[in-house]
Amino acid sequence: MNDLLQALVLGLIQGLTEFLPISSSGHLAIYPKFFGWEDPGAAFTAVVQIGTELAVVLYFWRDIWTIAGGWLRGLVKRDARDTLEWRMGWFVIVGSLPIVVLGIALKDVIESDFRNLWVIATMLIVMGIVLGICDKLGRQDRTIEDLNGKHAVLFGFAQAMALIPGVSRSGATISMGRALGYDRAAATRYAFLLAIPAVVGAGLFQLPEIPGGDNAYGVGPTILATIVSFVVGISVIHWLLQYVSKHSYTPFVIYRIGLGTLVLVLLATGTIAATTTVG
């Protein structure tokens, strides 16, 4: 029962933080320390993120269906290759390659060295500052229709930085989008679409670890956390897309810097331990 309660709370945290530019993986490493719980592990984190990505699939199913259909038509019909849907299909594929390649190559480092709270807290602060600068100084004259192959690759490498907990997948890709001059709505929307193959792929890749590997909770609690993250995630997507159409990312920047600073102070005073590996 204790494992189920902890998994429920972690699923709630995942659902609340996955789409906000504040790093869900960083939160899943930090908050168990605050509560005195065992680290859930990289496998738990990766699989629970499938729940929030299924929320993306449900919320953006029309966009996904249109892009997939346009890309498939382009494979067999030359005139279909002039459409935005054909280009977007390729942009999502190309943009997903960096995180796939680096995720496989750095799997052991991701599950050990990157899950150190000194690293996570530092990334929260550094990438929070980056997000604030890019959001404040970036132009807003590009929309999703202006996306091109070069920018898709740059978005992809930005997303790959999220292999380090504390960076934030959405935060890194949104920062890149704002630096390239995309408006907040376009940068956020593409960040969501780009995350789908990466997160679902990572979760499926880590599934064999769930029964007894790098996971503190086991199958049942992991399923519960995934369901909770899915339900909460749908509401957060809707709220965030409405929010960014009218407001800046400043509150998230302040929160990131504040949380990162708090963790560094707790680490420096010995209140919490830096290592977060599953025991």
Side-chain angles (χ1 to χ4, degrees):
M1 182 61 68
N2 190 47
D3 281 356
L4 288 173
L5 177 60
Q6 292 181 16
L8 187 151
V9 172
L10 294 176
L12 178 63
I13 292 173
Q14 167 64 25
L16 288 171
T17 60
E18 171 66 23
F19 306 114
L20 305 182
I22 57 177
S23 179
S24 62
S25 59
H27 279 69
L28 290 181
I30 290 171
Y31 275 81
K33 287 288 187 180
F34 289 169
F35 301 145
W37 299 345
E38 187 178 3
D39 174 38
F44 175 90
T45 300
V47 173
V48 170
Q49 286 176 338
I50 291 179
T52 42
E53 289 314 305
L54 290 178
V56 174
V57 171
L58 180 61
Y59 194 88
F60 290 107
W61 72 268
R62 288 188 179 87
D63 299 64
I64 296 169
W65 181 264
T66 301
I67 292 170
W71 183 79
L72 290 172
R73 283 193 298 274
L75 292 177
V76 296
K77 295 182 179 180
R78 184 177 297 275
D79 58 350
R81 298 172 191 173
D82 295 326
T83 65
L84 174 63
E85 292 76 19
W86 164 256
R87 298 196 305 274
M88 281 295 297
W90 279 115
F91 294 157
V92 171
I93 293 171
V94 171
S96 299
L97 293 179
I99 197 170
V100 172
V101 174
L102 292 174
I104 294 173
L106 300 176
K107 181 177 184 293
D108 292 338
V109 179
I110 294 168
E111 295 178 353
S112 54
D113 296 351
F114 285 175
R115 294 183 67 78
N116 183 291
L117 289 189
W118 286 105
V119 174
I120 294 171
T122 300
M123 288 297 99
L124 279 171
I125 295 171
V126 171
M127 293 305 296
I129 294 172
V130 170
L131 174 63
I133 293 173
C134 292
D135 188 42
K136 187 172 183 63
L137 301 182
R139 308 191 320 269
Q140 292 204 60
D141 56 356
R142 285 179 171 149
T143 66
I144 201 72
E145 287 80 10
D146 297 310
L147 189 63
N148 56 47
K150 178 182 177 181
H151 289 176
V153 172
L154 291 174
F155 270 108
F157 277 105
Q159 176 178 247
M161 291 182 62
L163 292 169
I164 307 173
V167 169
S168 171
R169 180 179 296 100
S170 62
T173 50
I174 288 170
S175 295
M176 179 60 74
R178 298 293 291 120
L180 292 172
Y182 290 87
D183 63 44
R184 294 189 183 101
T188 303
R189 198 174 195 88
Y190 182 62
F192 286 173
L193 294 173
L194 187 60
I196 295 173
V199 174
V200 173
L204 295 176
F205 184 66
Q206 291 281 14
L207 272 179
E209 299 285 338
I210 292 303
D214 188 17
N215 176 24
Y217 294 106
V219 176
T222 301
I223 292 174
L224 173 63
T226 303
I227 293 172
V228 172
S229 71
F230 167 77
V231 174
V232 176
I234 292 179
S235 299
V236 174
I237 294 172
H238 180 74
W239 176 84
L240 183 60
L241 289 175
Q242 295 294 316
Y243 177 87
V244 298
S245 65
K246 302 176 182 177
H247 304 87
S248 74
Y249 294 106
T250 300
F252 306 118
V253 173
I254 295 172
Y255 174 77
R256 289 181 64 112
I257 295 174
L259 178 60
T261 302
L262 173 61
V263 173
L264 289 178
V265 170
L266 294 176
L267 289 170
T269 57
T271 306
I272 59 176
T275 56
T276 64
T277 52
V278 177

